[in-house]
Amino acid sequence: IRYITVSNPNNNNNNKLRPPPGATGLPFIGETLQLISAYKTENPEPFIDARVAKYGTVFTTHVFGERTVFSADAETNRFILQNEGRLFESSYPSSIANLVGKHSLLLMRGSFHRRMHSLTMSFANSTIIKDHLLVDIDRLVRRNLEMWTGRILLMDEAKKITFELTLKQLLSIDPCEWSENLRKEYMLVIEGFFCIPLPFFSLTYRRAIQARKRVTEALHLVVRERRLERERGVKKNDMLAALFDNDCDDVMFSDDEIVDFLVSLLVAGYDTTSTTMTLAVKFLTDTPSALAQLKEEHEEIRARKGASLALEWDDYKSMPFTQCVVNETLRISNIISGVFRRAITDVRIKDYMIPKGSKVFASLRAAHLGQDNFENARVFNPWRWQKTSDSTNFMPFGGGPRRCPGHDLARVALSVFLHHLVTRFSWVAAEDDKLVFFPTTRTQKRYPIMVQRRNVVE
Ligand code: HEM
């Protein structure tokens, strides 16, 4: 494949190139309804498969109000993501942009984005996790699991756990009534992400905007209080402290900037990690041999440590099969099904021309489920990762300058959660439940399970 930026508009060869083939469907709505109805089922693949068969892995469609170049090709996706800021830039729908706030990392661009992205990374990298976040993750996961009994909605429980973890890491706040109320407001904000961003038309969106206001008010109070504490010399080791410390450089963050930044970190880590936790359990329940192997791995760790010691970094590093399960869950469920970008110049991809201004969707899902990229790609098979530790076709956390800064943190949280779950409980699905992929990836009934405490551990 040749990828070339078109810098000379008078180049005749380039002028002959056309945009990728495809169909743009009905006026205004394009193929949006076909896409939504496919993604509302357990098997949305035919939407992509049919177009790939007809037009190839890069095709044109028209979704969510705009003509869009859709890439189902892993190499093209990588090229798009790595050229962030040079050939493409991220482009979120206005519903999401309004709700995360204008100072959010998701919306930042250029050198400021690079700087804030690396600040976020430096707060969630493996050294920091090893040195102090792991202790909190272990404690908060155990604390939640201790309360489980009988029938639970796993998706709700996983959300509670990830929200508590994120709040602790960002603001050093332990679970309490205040944090639980904040979480409820957050759920309303996230509901608003995928609806029409017109308060007049959508009650969900109106509710989301009001909830965002309450969330930012609550966070403003925390930031103000922490500034006062800081003046009194109280030091904390969390994301908010890192943002305050950045004041010492050339930039002084205002409270508004800090609050938007925190809102977007909570948004980005909350739904993604909790849904992955839930789906990992669902896939394991449906694949008993994988669950048995996972249990064995974790029971060995417990046998070494005894019933009650907290997990340490070396324990996390001795969970090879768990990493296979995490990879395979990320590959097959595709919590972030793809990312939207906009071409900031004319770009040549393969033998097509992507005109400047075009909307582009790099479908991570299509690459992960492409039969040419993975053998029996649509089957949950964690053992495949025992053969290939890394794959260039595997990008659940995106790539390039916007690669997810929470990727290590998410992996650790998932592994610790699975460890305590399989060593403390056995469970069965309480009802049939199925996966759907619109508006976000979730199971229809929030995955009800019946849990039973095991005797092997405290
Ligand atoms: C299984 C869990 C997760 C998945 C699958 C996931 C996936 C992704 C993906 C695909 C992107 C790239 C978006 C783009 O290129 O436009 C991203 C960005 C991001 N993620 Fe995650 N993420 C997860 C967990 C987390 C966690 C725990 C955090 C908290 C620190 C986090 C914070 C972010 C932020 C702030 C961005 C925006 C980065 C930027 O635009 O520079 N994510 N994530």
Side-chain angles (χ1 to χ4, degrees), residues 178-236:
W178 179 89
S179 65
E180 196 47 25
N181 287 337
L182 189 72
R183 189 171 75 86
K184 291 193 181 128
E185 300 290 0
Y186 244 89
M187 284 164 66
L188 295 176
V189 176
I190 290 175
E191 286 300 312
F193 274 18
F194 298 94
C195 58
I196 308 165
L198 298 172
F200 187 68
F201 284 106
S202 167
L203 177 63
T204 313
Y205 190 69
R206 203 159 53 233
R207 270 206 216 113
I209 288 285
Q210 285 157 357
R212 183 195 142 81
K213 199 161 168 264
R214 289 190 292 272
V215 166
T216 52
E217 278 166 7
L219 293 177
H220 263 287
L221 285 178
V222 175
V223 173
R224 236 172 282 153
E225 206 161 295
R226 283 282 299 273
R227 277 200 196 279
L228 293 176
E229 266 185 16
R230 195 163 173 261
E231 278 162 24
R232 292 199 303 270
V234 180
K235 278 207 179 290
K236 285 197 172 140

Side-chain angles (χ1 to χ4, degrees), residues 271-287:
D271 229 39
T272 45
T273 314
S274 54
T275 308
T276 313
M277 279 176 180
T278 310
L279 297 188
V281 177
K282 180 165 176 20
F283 295 136
L284 287 165
T285 314
D286 297 343
T287 319

Side-chain angles (χ1 to χ4, degrees), residues 81 84 90-92 105-108 113 116-117 120 124 166 169-170 261 264-274 276-277 330 334-336 338-341 364 395-399 401-407 409-411 413-414:
L81 295 178
E84 172 76 14
S90 75
S91 169
Y92 284 92
L105 184 63
L106 305 173
L107 305 184
M108 284 174 193
H113 169 262
M116 295 310 288
H117 187 273
T120 316
T166 320
Q169 289 149 9
L170 296 182
F261 195 78
S264 64
L265 278 185
L266 267 163
V267 163
Y270 172 55
D271 229 39
T272 45
T273 314
S274 54
T276 313
M277 279 176 180
L330 290 166
N334 295 294
I335 311 298
I336 307 279
V339 297
F340 279 107
R341 295 290 188 263
L364 307 174
M395 292 203 295
F397 295 106
R402 287 196 181 269
R403 178 159 191 236
C404 176
H407 64 100
L409 198 56
R411 278 182 185 281
L414 279 155

Side-chain angles (χ1 to χ4, degrees), residues 1 3 52 57-58 70-82 349-350 361-370 372-374 391-395 398-399:
I1 302 175
Y3 297 104
V52 169
T57 49
V58 180
F70 193 106
S71 163
D73 179 69
E75 197 179 352
T76 303
N77 289 349
R78 243 188 341 272
F79 174 79
I80 294 168
L81 295 178
Q82 272 159 5
I349 284 188
K350 296 188 168 185
F361 184 72
S363 172
L364 307 174
R365 173 177 198 93
H368 292 162
L369 299 181
D372 293 341
N373 299 335
F374 294 92
S391 159
T392 45
N393 298 321
F394 183 55
M395 292 203 295

